[in-house]
Amino acid sequence: MGSSEVSIIPGLQTEEKAAVERRRLHVLKALKKLRIEADEAPVVAVLGSGGGLRAHIACLGVLSEMKEQGLLDAVTYLAGVSGSTWAISSLYTNDGDMEALEADLKHRFTRQEWDVAKSLQKTIQAARSENYSLTDFWAYMVISKQTRELPESHLSNMKKPVEEGTLPYPIFAAIDNDLQPSWQEARAPETWFEFTPHHTGFPALGAYVSITHFGSKFKKGRLVRTHPERDLTFLRGLWGSALGNTEVIREYIFDKHSSCFYSFADQLRNLTLKGLWRRAVANAKSTGCLIFGTLSNFMDFVKKTGICASKWEWGTTHNFLYKHGGIRDTIMSSRKHLRLVDAGLAINTPFPLVLSPTREVHLILSFDFSAGDPFETIRATADYCRRHKIPFPQVEEAELDLWSKAPASCYILKGETGPVVMHFPLFNIDACGGDIEAWSDTYDTFKLADTYTLDVVVLLLALAKKNVRENKKKILRELMNVAGLYYPKDSARSCCLA
């Protein structure tokens, strides 16, 4: 059980700092195996963008190939938004066993099964909570169907390998939906919210609470009422709740991808409450048990879901900063609740979380699983960094426009200060040739899991792996360069680039 108090301190949380220090020893060993010498371990972060099921599968492919090539052991931080968080969290629930994880993924999409009874049961249980929102329905009834998983473990269960340093330190991103106007107007850093195996909170404020108390009720910095830690299925739904903001839906879905959205909505018809009732009754007849107990329980669930839908309420949780005297921002401390949604609604990759100077990242490997412009995340991050004087490689709009017309598999961006950024578009001319549009159509963001046959999954895994494998030399070269910061200038360095 974590601390029952709100933590407001500058810099890294104590637990993260200790875990990162232990990780350094493993990174040094990994670099040595790659024939890269360093006295101290550089900090390398791997980022995964959003992109629904496409991002989930492609991110698994990236992690699998990085493990195979000996690169994952040289990574300090793993961070993701939306679909990538589903893949990254799976890495930890499987103790880093990528072979078993990949086999399980293929098995799930070979069966083409979904345990609707169990998912419905979990949703109805969640509806008894005072902070039930559409995120609960989305998590247990939609995301579980997409991934064909219903993990009941918790983020705090990931502490052991992280604290031992055997796996990178994971960071999962969300944003405060109530601060969307501040984001649109000023790209406010306070918008970003992070989750780790130890804590959750606002990095821009240095305000955190133990992950075991996420969702519990606080007042004036003290725990008032404890709520059970939310399971990983719910968190995956929260991290991937791209429909949580109505303005963004209007701008980015209805205006730009209306045909895709309506196709997606059509496929969701089987998830209507009426349809669920039929399936629940059928399940009761076959098993002799009504999974949610009584008709009354079901109707309460229907009523709550309808109310949330009418308000379009997502990601509601108690604000641990409520009435906290250490927060000068009255908006942050006056709200009883937070409403957290998919960070892809701000920037579709977690750059803001790893660019914090407290994390001292030297090299960022940014894997972009977008179906559209793979440089939109770079544009948005560059704008964010300019506004807040955060070191980031300078990018020219004209150059990004040119790259986006025929993206290559890897771009290396360097500035006078700040981290080196390696950006890897999933769909690129090196791997896809002239068929980028066809690949993008096959793996459209709004296609449901039912369209993902085993062959489709395997092809996407192979594409993501190829992007890592074909760029291994470039990754090693940049690893060697940042490792050189910690190695005597007059000493010989070597790296297996042949």
Side-chain angles (χ1 to χ4, degrees), residues 23-77:
R23 180 63 179 171
R24 290 182 191 275
L25 300 176
H26 290 267
V27 170
L28 283 172
K29 290 179 182 178
L31 292 176
K32 192 170 184 179
K33 287 182 180 179
L34 295 169
R35 295 174 58 195
I36 300 175
E37 299 293 338
D39 289 337
E40 294 183 30
V43 178
V44 180
V46 169
L47 311 187
S49 80
L53 194 55
R54 177 186 63 251
H56 171 50
I57 297 170
C59 189
L60 282 175
V62 166
L63 296 176
S64 181
E65 190 63 24
M66 288 195 71
K67 182 75 172 178
E68 177 69 21
Q69 299 295 335
L71 298 170
L72 190 60
D73 291 332
V75 173
T76 303
Y77 286 106

Short mmCIF file of all heavy atoms in Angstrom, two decimals, residues 23-77:
data_model
loop_
_atom_site.label_atom_id
_atom_site.label_comp_id
_atom_site.label_asym_id
_atom_site.label_seq_id
_atom_site.Cartn_x
_atom_site.Cartn_y
_atom_site.Cartn_z
N ARG A 23 18.11 0.43 -12.91
CA ARG A 23 18.04 0.13 -14.34
C ARG A 23 19.34 0.47 -15.04
O ARG A 23 19.73 -0.18 -16.02
CB ARG A 23 16.88 0.91 -14.98
CG ARG A 23 16.69 0.69 -16.48
CD ARG A 23 16.33 -0.75 -16.79
NE ARG A 23 16.14 -0.96 -18.22
CZ ARG A 23 15.99 -2.16 -18.79
NH1 ARG A 23 16.00 -3.26 -18.05
NH2 ARG A 23 15.81 -2.27 -20.09
N ARG A 24 20.05 1.49 -14.57
CA ARG A 24 21.31 1.91 -15.19
C ARG A 24 22.31 0.75 -15.28
O ARG A 24 23.05 0.64 -16.27
CB ARG A 24 21.93 3.06 -14.40
CG ARG A 24 21.18 4.38 -14.51
CD ARG A 24 21.89 5.48 -13.73
NE ARG A 24 21.07 6.67 -13.60
CZ ARG A 24 20.98 7.63 -14.52
NH1 ARG A 24 21.68 7.52 -15.64
NH2 ARG A 24 20.22 8.69 -14.32
N LEU A 25 22.36 -0.09 -14.25
CA LEU A 25 23.29 -1.21 -14.25
C LEU A 25 22.97 -2.19 -15.38
O LEU A 25 23.87 -2.69 -16.06
CB LEU A 25 23.24 -1.94 -12.91
CG LEU A 25 23.61 -1.09 -11.68
CD1 LEU A 25 23.42 -1.91 -10.40
CD2 LEU A 25 25.05 -0.60 -11.79
N HIS A 26 21.68 -2.44 -15.59
CA HIS A 26 21.26 -3.34 -16.68
C HIS A 26 21.53 -2.70 -18.04
O HIS A 26 21.90 -3.41 -18.99
CB HIS A 26 19.77 -3.67 -16.53
CG HIS A 26 19.46 -4.54 -15.35
ND1 HIS A 26 19.39 -5.91 -15.44
CD2 HIS A 26 19.22 -4.24 -14.05
CE1 HIS A 26 19.12 -6.42 -14.25
NE2 HIS A 26 19.00 -5.43 -13.40
N VAL A 27 21.34 -1.39 -18.13
CA VAL A 27 21.61 -0.70 -19.40
C VAL A 27 23.09 -0.78 -19.75
O VAL A 27 23.45 -1.04 -20.91
CB VAL A 27 21.15 0.78 -19.32
CG1 VAL A 27 21.65 1.56 -20.53
CG2 VAL A 27 19.62 0.85 -19.23
N LEU A 28 23.96 -0.59 -18.77
CA LEU A 28 25.41 -0.68 -19.01
C LEU A 28 25.80 -2.07 -19.50
O LEU A 28 26.63 -2.21 -20.42
CB LEU A 28 26.18 -0.33 -17.75
CG LEU A 28 26.27 1.16 -17.40
CD1 LEU A 28 26.90 1.35 -16.02
CD2 LEU A 28 27.06 1.92 -18.46
N LYS A 29 25.21 -3.11 -18.91
CA LYS A 29 25.49 -4.48 -19.35
C LYS A 29 25.01 -4.69 -20.78
O LYS A 29 25.68 -5.34 -21.59
CB LYS A 29 24.81 -5.48 -18.42
CG LYS A 29 25.43 -5.55 -17.03
CD LYS A 29 24.67 -6.56 -16.16
CE LYS A 29 25.25 -6.61 -14.75
NZ LYS A 29 24.49 -7.55 -13.89
N ALA A 30 23.83 -4.14 -21.10
CA ALA A 30 23.28 -4.28 -22.45
C ALA A 30 24.17 -3.57 -23.47
O ALA A 30 24.41 -4.09 -24.56
CB ALA A 30 21.87 -3.73 -22.50
N LEU A 31 24.64 -2.38 -23.12
CA LEU A 31 25.51 -1.63 -24.03
C LEU A 31 26.81 -2.39 -24.27
O LEU A 31 27.34 -2.42 -25.39
CB LEU A 31 25.81 -0.24 -23.46
CG LEU A 31 24.63 0.73 -23.40
CD1 LEU A 31 25.05 2.03 -22.71
CD2 LEU A 31 24.10 1.03 -24.80
N LYS A 32 27.32 -3.01 -23.22
CA LYS A 32 28.57 -3.78 -23.36
C LYS A 32 28.38 -4.96 -24.32
O LYS A 32 29.25 -5.26 -25.14
CB LYS A 32 29.02 -4.29 -21.99
CG LYS A 32 30.44 -4.84 -21.98
CD LYS A 32 30.92 -5.10 -20.56
CE LYS A 32 32.37 -5.57 -20.58
NZ LYS A 32 32.89 -5.81 -19.20
N LYS A 33 27.20 -5.61 -24.24
CA LYS A 33 26.91 -6.71 -25.16
C LYS A 33 26.83 -6.20 -26.61
O LYS A 33 27.14 -6.95 -27.55
CB LYS A 33 25.59 -7.39 -24.78
CG LYS A 33 25.67 -8.23 -23.52
CD LYS A 33 24.33 -8.90 -23.24
CE LYS A 33 24.39 -9.75 -21.98
NZ LYS A 33 23.08 -10.39 -21.69
N LEU A 34 26.42 -4.96 -26.76
CA LEU A 34 26.36 -4.34 -28.09
C LEU A 34 27.69 -3.72 -28.49
O LEU A 34 27.79 -3.06 -29.51
CB LEU A 34 25.26 -3.26 -28.10
CG LEU A 34 23.82 -3.74 -27.91
CD1 LEU A 34 22.89 -2.56 -27.68
CD2 LEU A 34 23.35 -4.56 -29.10
N ARG A 35 28.71 -3.93 -27.64
CA ARG A 35 30.07 -3.43 -27.86
C ARG A 35 30.09 -1.90 -27.88
O ARG A 35 30.78 -1.27 -28.67
CB ARG A 35 30.66 -4.01 -29.14
CG ARG A 35 30.85 -5.52 -29.09
CD ARG A 35 31.29 -6.09 -30.42
NE ARG A 35 32.53 -5.47 -30.88
CZ ARG A 35 32.98 -5.55 -32.13
NH1 ARG A 35 32.25 -6.20 -33.05
NH2 ARG A 35 34.11 -4.98 -32.48
N ILE A 36 29.32 -1.32 -26.99
CA ILE A 36 29.31 0.12 -26.78
C ILE A 36 29.79 0.39 -25.37
O ILE A 36 29.20 -0.09 -24.40
CB ILE A 36 27.91 0.72 -26.98
CG1 ILE A 36 27.41 0.46 -28.40
CG2 ILE A 36 27.91 2.22 -26.69
CD1 ILE A 36 25.99 0.91 -28.64
N GLU A 37 30.90 1.12 -25.23
CA GLU A 37 31.48 1.38 -23.92
C GLU A 37 30.99 2.71 -23.36
O GLU A 37 30.86 3.69 -24.09
CB GLU A 37 33.01 1.40 -24.02
CG GLU A 37 33.62 0.09 -24.49
CD GLU A 37 33.43 -1.03 -23.48
OE1 GLU A 37 33.20 -0.72 -22.29
OE2 GLU A 37 33.49 -2.20 -23.87
N ALA A 38 30.71 2.73 -22.05
CA ALA A 38 30.32 3.96 -21.36
C ALA A 38 30.58 3.79 -19.87
O ALA A 38 30.45 2.68 -19.33
CB ALA A 38 28.85 4.27 -21.60
N ASP A 39 31.00 4.87 -19.22
CA ASP A 39 31.20 4.82 -17.78
C ASP A 39 29.87 4.95 -17.04
O ASP A 39 29.70 4.41 -15.96
CB ASP A 39 32.13 5.96 -17.34
CG ASP A 39 33.56 5.72 -17.79
OD1 ASP A 39 33.91 4.55 -18.03
OD2 ASP A 39 34.32 6.69 -17.92
N GLU A 40 28.94 5.69 -17.64
CA GLU A 40 27.60 5.83 -17.09
C GLU A 40 26.59 5.53 -18.19
O GLU A 40 26.87 5.73 -19.37
CB GLU A 40 27.37 7.24 -16.53
CG GLU A 40 28.22 7.58 -15.33
CD GLU A 40 27.90 8.96 -14.79
OE1 GLU A 40 26.72 9.38 -14.92
OE2 GLU A 40 28.80 9.62 -14.25
N ALA A 41 25.41 5.09 -17.77
CA ALA A 41 24.39 4.72 -18.75
C ALA A 41 23.63 5.95 -19.23
O ALA A 41 23.08 6.70 -18.41
CB ALA A 41 23.41 3.72 -18.14
N PRO A 42 23.57 6.19 -20.54
CA PRO A 42 22.70 7.25 -21.06
C PRO A 42 21.25 6.86 -20.86
O PRO A 42 20.91 5.68 -20.76
CB PRO A 42 23.06 7.31 -22.55
CG PRO A 42 23.54 5.93 -22.87
CD PRO A 42 24.23 5.43 -21.63
N VAL A 43 20.38 7.85 -20.81
CA VAL A 43 18.94 7.59 -20.62
C VAL A 43 18.26 7.57 -21.99
O VAL A 43 18.24 8.57 -22.70
CB VAL A 43 18.30 8.65 -19.72
CG1 VAL A 43 16.80 8.38 -19.57
CG2 VAL A 43 18.97 8.66 -18.35
N VAL A 44 17.72 6.41 -22.33
CA VAL A 44 17.04 6.21 -23.61
C VAL A 44 15.56 5.95 -23.35
O VAL A 44 15.20 5.16 -22.47
CB VAL A 44 17.65 5.02 -24.38
CG1 VAL A 44 16.93 4.82 -25.71
CG2 VAL A 44 19.15 5.22 -24.59
N ALA A 45 14.72 6.63 -24.09
CA ALA A 45 13.27 6.44 -23.97
C ALA A 45 12.69 5.96 -25.28
O ALA A 45 13.05 6.47 -26.35
CB ALA A 45 12.59 7.75 -23.54
N VAL A 46 11.81 4.98 -25.22
CA VAL A 46 11.07 4.50 -26.39
C VAL A 46 9.62 4.95 -26.24
O VAL A 46 8.99 4.70 -25.20
CB VAL A 46 11.15 2.97 -26.52
CG1 VAL A 46 10.17 2.46 -27.57
CG2 VAL A 46 12.57 2.54 -26.88
N LEU A 47 9.10 5.62 -27.27
CA LEU A 47 7.73 6.12 -27.25
C LEU A 47 6.87 5.39 -28.28
O LEU A 47 7.33 5.13 -29.39
CB LEU A 47 7.69 7.62 -27.57
CG LEU A 47 8.64 8.55 -26.83
CD1 LEU A 47 8.31 10.01 -27.17
CD2 LEU A 47 8.58 8.33 -25.33
N GLY A 48 5.65 5.10 -27.90
CA GLY A 48 4.69 4.51 -28.82
C GLY A 48 3.50 5.44 -28.98
O GLY A 48 2.95 5.92 -27.99
N SER A 49 3.10 5.69 -30.21
CA SER A 49 1.96 6.59 -30.46
C SER A 49 0.65 5.83 -30.32
O SER A 49 0.63 4.61 -30.12
CB SER A 49 2.06 7.19 -31.87
OG SER A 49 1.59 6.26 -32.83
N GLY A 50 -0.44 6.58 -30.46
CA GLY A 50 -1.74 5.95 -30.49
C GLY A 50 -2.06 5.41 -31.88
O GLY A 50 -1.27 5.52 -32.81
N GLY A 51 -3.24 4.81 -31.99
CA GLY A 51 -3.64 4.23 -33.27
C GLY A 51 -4.49 2.99 -33.09
O GLY A 51 -4.51 2.12 -33.95
N GLY A 52 -5.14 2.88 -31.91
CA GLY A 52 -6.04 1.76 -31.69
C GLY A 52 -5.37 0.41 -31.76
O GLY A 52 -4.23 0.22 -31.34
N LEU A 53 -6.08 -0.55 -32.33
CA LEU A 53 -5.58 -1.92 -32.41
C LEU A 53 -4.33 -2.00 -33.28
O LEU A 53 -3.44 -2.81 -33.04
CB LEU A 53 -6.68 -2.83 -32.97
CG LEU A 53 -6.48 -4.33 -32.82
CD1 LEU A 53 -6.24 -4.72 -31.37
CD2 LEU A 53 -7.69 -5.09 -33.37
N ARG A 54 -4.26 -1.15 -34.31
CA ARG A 54 -3.06 -1.10 -35.15
C ARG A 54 -1.83 -0.76 -34.30
O ARG A 54 -0.79 -1.41 -34.40
CB ARG A 54 -3.25 -0.05 -36.24
CG ARG A 54 -2.01 0.15 -37.13
CD ARG A 54 -2.20 1.30 -38.10
NE ARG A 54 -2.38 2.58 -37.43
CZ ARG A 54 -3.51 3.26 -37.39
NH1 ARG A 54 -4.59 2.80 -37.97
NH2 ARG A 54 -3.59 4.42 -36.73
N ALA A 55 -1.95 0.25 -33.45
CA ALA A 55 -0.84 0.64 -32.59
C ALA A 55 -0.51 -0.46 -31.59
O ALA A 55 0.67 -0.71 -31.30
CB ALA A 55 -1.17 1.94 -31.86
N HIS A 56 -1.53 -1.11 -31.07
CA HIS A 56 -1.33 -2.20 -30.11
C HIS A 56 -0.46 -3.30 -30.71
O HIS A 56 0.55 -3.71 -30.13
CB HIS A 56 -2.70 -2.75 -29.70
CG HIS A 56 -2.66 -4.00 -28.88
ND1 HIS A 56 -1.87 -4.14 -27.77
CD2 HIS A 56 -3.33 -5.17 -29.02
CE1 HIS A 56 -2.04 -5.35 -27.24
NE2 HIS A 56 -2.93 -5.99 -27.99
N ILE A 57 -0.85 -3.76 -31.89
CA ILE A 57 -0.12 -4.87 -32.53
C ILE A 57 1.26 -4.43 -33.00
O ILE A 57 2.26 -5.12 -32.79
CB ILE A 57 -0.95 -5.44 -33.69
CG1 ILE A 57 -2.26 -6.03 -33.16
CG2 ILE A 57 -0.16 -6.48 -34.48
CD1 ILE A 57 -3.26 -6.40 -34.24
N ALA A 58 1.33 -3.25 -33.64
CA ALA A 58 2.61 -2.77 -34.15
C ALA A 58 3.60 -2.50 -33.01
O ALA A 58 4.80 -2.78 -33.13
CB ALA A 58 2.41 -1.51 -34.98
N CYS A 59 3.10 -1.96 -31.91
CA CYS A 59 3.98 -1.69 -30.77
C CYS A 59 4.52 -2.99 -30.19
O CYS A 59 5.70 -3.07 -29.81
CB CYS A 59 3.22 -0.91 -29.70
SG CYS A 59 4.26 -0.30 -28.36
N LEU A 60 3.69 -4.02 -30.15
CA LEU A 60 4.18 -5.33 -29.71
C LEU A 60 5.28 -5.84 -30.63
O LEU A 60 6.27 -6.42 -30.18
CB LEU A 60 3.03 -6.34 -29.68
CG LEU A 60 2.07 -6.25 -28.49
CD1 LEU A 60 0.91 -7.24 -28.67
CD2 LEU A 60 2.80 -6.54 -27.18
N GLY A 61 5.10 -5.61 -31.94
CA GLY A 61 6.14 -6.01 -32.89
C GLY A 61 7.44 -5.28 -32.67
O GLY A 61 8.53 -5.87 -32.72
N VAL A 62 7.35 -3.97 -32.40
CA VAL A 62 8.54 -3.17 -32.12
C VAL A 62 9.26 -3.67 -30.88
O VAL A 62 10.48 -3.89 -30.88
CB VAL A 62 8.16 -1.68 -31.95
CG1 VAL A 62 9.31 -0.89 -31.32
CG2 VAL A 62 7.79 -1.07 -33.30
N LEU A 63 8.51 -3.89 -29.80
CA LEU A 63 9.11 -4.35 -28.55
C LEU A 63 9.74 -5.73 -28.72
O LEU A 63 10.81 -6.01 -28.18
CB LEU A 63 8.06 -4.38 -27.44
CG LEU A 63 7.46 -3.03 -27.04
CD1 LEU A 63 6.36 -3.22 -26.00
CD2 LEU A 63 8.54 -2.10 -26.51
N SER A 64 9.06 -6.59 -29.47
CA SER A 64 9.56 -7.94 -29.70
C SER A 64 10.89 -7.92 -30.45
O SER A 64 11.85 -8.60 -30.08
CB SER A 64 8.52 -8.75 -30.49
OG SER A 64 8.97 -10.07 -30.71
N GLU A 65 10.96 -7.10 -31.51
CA GLU A 65 12.19 -7.05 -32.30
C GLU A 65 13.31 -6.34 -31.53
O GLU A 65 14.49 -6.72 -31.65
CB GLU A 65 11.93 -6.34 -33.62
CG GLU A 65 13.08 -6.45 -34.63
CD GLU A 65 13.38 -7.89 -35.05
OE1 GLU A 65 12.47 -8.74 -34.97
OE2 GLU A 65 14.53 -8.16 -35.47
N MET A 66 12.97 -5.32 -30.76
CA MET A 66 14.00 -4.67 -29.95
C MET A 66 14.59 -5.64 -28.93
O MET A 66 15.79 -5.62 -28.66
CB MET A 66 13.42 -3.45 -29.24
CG MET A 66 13.13 -2.28 -30.17
SD MET A 66 12.85 -0.73 -29.31
CE MET A 66 14.51 -0.37 -28.72
N LYS A 67 13.74 -6.49 -28.38
CA LYS A 67 14.22 -7.52 -27.46
C LYS A 67 15.13 -8.50 -28.19
O LYS A 67 16.21 -8.86 -27.71
CB LYS A 67 13.01 -8.26 -26.86
CG LYS A 67 13.38 -9.34 -25.85
CD LYS A 67 13.80 -8.74 -24.54
CE LYS A 67 13.96 -9.80 -23.48
NZ LYS A 67 14.43 -9.23 -22.18
N GLU A 68 14.71 -8.93 -29.38
CA GLU A 68 15.47 -9.88 -30.18
C GLU A 68 16.84 -9.33 -30.55
O GLU A 68 17.85 -10.06 -30.56
CB GLU A 68 14.69 -10.22 -31.45
CG GLU A 68 15.39 -11.15 -32.42
CD GLU A 68 15.53 -12.57 -31.90
OE1 GLU A 68 14.76 -12.94 -30.99
OE2 GLU A 68 16.42 -13.29 -32.39
N GLN A 69 16.91 -8.03 -30.84
CA GLN A 69 18.16 -7.41 -31.28
C GLN A 69 19.03 -6.93 -30.11
O GLN A 69 20.08 -6.33 -30.32
CB GLN A 69 17.86 -6.22 -32.20
CG GLN A 69 17.12 -6.59 -33.48
CD GLN A 69 17.93 -7.47 -34.40
OE1 GLN A 69 19.17 -7.48 -34.37
NE2 GLN A 69 17.24 -8.26 -35.23
N GLY A 70 18.59 -7.14 -28.88
CA GLY A 70 19.36 -6.72 -27.72
C GLY A 70 19.24 -5.24 -27.42
O GLY A 70 20.03 -4.71 -26.62
N LEU A 71 18.28 -4.57 -28.04
CA LEU A 71 18.14 -3.12 -27.87
C LEU A 71 17.25 -2.74 -26.70
O LEU A 71 17.46 -1.70 -26.06
CB LEU A 71 17.59 -2.50 -29.16
CG LEU A 71 18.46 -2.65 -30.41
CD1 LEU A 71 17.68 -2.20 -31.65
CD2 LEU A 71 19.74 -1.83 -30.26
N LEU A 72 16.25 -3.56 -26.40
CA LEU A 72 15.30 -3.20 -25.36
C LEU A 72 15.98 -3.11 -23.99
O LEU A 72 15.59 -2.29 -23.15
CB LEU A 72 14.16 -4.23 -25.31
CG LEU A 72 12.97 -3.88 -24.42
CD1 LEU A 72 12.31 -2.58 -24.88
CD2 LEU A 72 11.95 -5.02 -24.41
N ASP A 73 17.02 -3.92 -23.78
CA ASP A 73 17.72 -3.89 -22.50
C ASP A 73 18.52 -2.61 -22.30
O ASP A 73 18.98 -2.35 -21.19
CB ASP A 73 18.64 -5.11 -22.39
CG ASP A 73 17.87 -6.41 -22.26
OD1 ASP A 73 16.74 -6.37 -21.72
OD2 ASP A 73 18.38 -7.46 -22.68
N ALA A 74 18.69 -1.83 -23.36
CA ALA A 74 19.42 -0.57 -23.26
C ALA A 74 18.48 0.61 -23.05
O ALA A 74 18.93 1.76 -23.03
CB ALA A 74 20.27 -0.34 -24.51
N VAL A 75 17.21 0.33 -22.86
CA VAL A 75 16.19 1.37 -22.73
C VAL A 75 15.86 1.61 -21.26
O VAL A 75 15.68 0.66 -20.49
CB VAL A 75 14.91 0.98 -23.50
CG1 VAL A 75 13.78 1.96 -23.24
CG2 VAL A 75 15.22 0.88 -24.99
N THR A 76 15.77 2.87 -20.87
CA THR A 76 15.44 3.23 -19.49
C THR A 76 13.95 3.44 -19.30
O THR A 76 13.37 3.01 -18.31
CB THR A 76 16.18 4.51 -19.07
OG1 THR A 76 17.59 4.31 -19.24
CG2 THR A 76 15.90 4.85 -17.61
N TYR A 77 13.30 4.13 -20.26
CA TYR A 77 11.88 4.45 -20.16
C TYR A 77 11.11 3.91 -21.35
O TYR A 77 11.58 3.99 -22.50
CB TYR A 77 11.66 5.96 -20.12
CG TYR A 77 12.03 6.64 -18.82
CD1 TYR A 77 13.18 7.41 -18.73
CD2 TYR A 77 11.22 6.52 -17.69
CE1 TYR A 77 13.53 8.05 -17.54
CE2 TYR A 77 11.55 7.16 -16.50
CZ TYR A 77 12.71 7.92 -16.43
OH TYR A 77 13.04 8.56 -15.25
#
